[in-house]
Amino acid sequence: QVQLVESGGGLVQAGGSLRLSCVGSGRIFSNYGVGWFRQAPGKERDIVAATNWSGGSTYYANFVKGRFTISRDNAKNTVFLQMNNLKPEDTAVYYCAVRSNFAYRTSATEYDYWGRGTQVTVSS
């Protein structure tokens, strides 16, 4: 079992930055692929970024490329999502998810464990 806790969300003005953290505990977090997803009210849960077990392979959704950066510190069982130049359309609940495999995937159905999410609100 893996437990995940996200933090770092909040209210920020457009153009601002936030850094989300996802701390994992339980099974060997450092061996697993991790994804960040987001879900706005009335919309589907979308992949934002993902990383393989080492951080050496990453994925970004087109709508965040050049603005968001995913990274991980396996010694601290933590994955980060640095979000810069935030836009009102980035407003959503952001979720961290882990899959029981070294690689990442872009579909939410491929992930086995989920955190409860952290709210990000970007004002215009």
Side-chain angles (χ1 to χ4, degrees), residues 17-124:
S17 298
L18 287 172
R19 189 172 84 153
L20 306 184
S21 298
C22 172
V23 179
S25 62
R27 299 182 65 181
I28 305 174
F29 180 82
S30 59
N31 287 351
Y32 294 161
V34 176
W36 281 100
F37 293 77
R38 72 185 188 187
Q39 188 167 21
K43 296 188 176 181
E44 294 185 351
R45 189 171 296 190
D46 294 326
I47 182 81
V48 174
T51 176
N52 72 337
W53 70 277
S54 68
S57 178
T58 57
Y59 167 87
Y60 295 96
N62 286 336
F63 52 78
V64 302
K65 281 183 180 178
R67 300 189 297 126
F68 291 10
T69 302
I70 189 170
S71 61
R72 66 190 300 163
D73 183 343
N74 285 341
K76 297 182 178 180
N77 285 343
T78 304
V79 175
F80 303 99
L81 185 68
Q82 177 67 44
M83 305 187 297
N84 298 328
N85 190 22
L86 283 159
K87 304 175 181 180
E89 51 264 43
D90 293 319
T91 295
V93 178
Y94 283 70
Y95 297 91
C96 170
V98 166
R99 65 187 303 265
S100 302
N101 190 281
F102 294 121
Y104 68 79
R105 291 290 185 269
T106 59
S107 171
T109 61
E110 298 276 1
Y111 287 79
D112 303 301
Y113 306 100
W114 291 83
R116 293 188 174 184
T118 185
Q119 176 70 46
V120 171
T121 303
V122 185
S123 63
S124 58

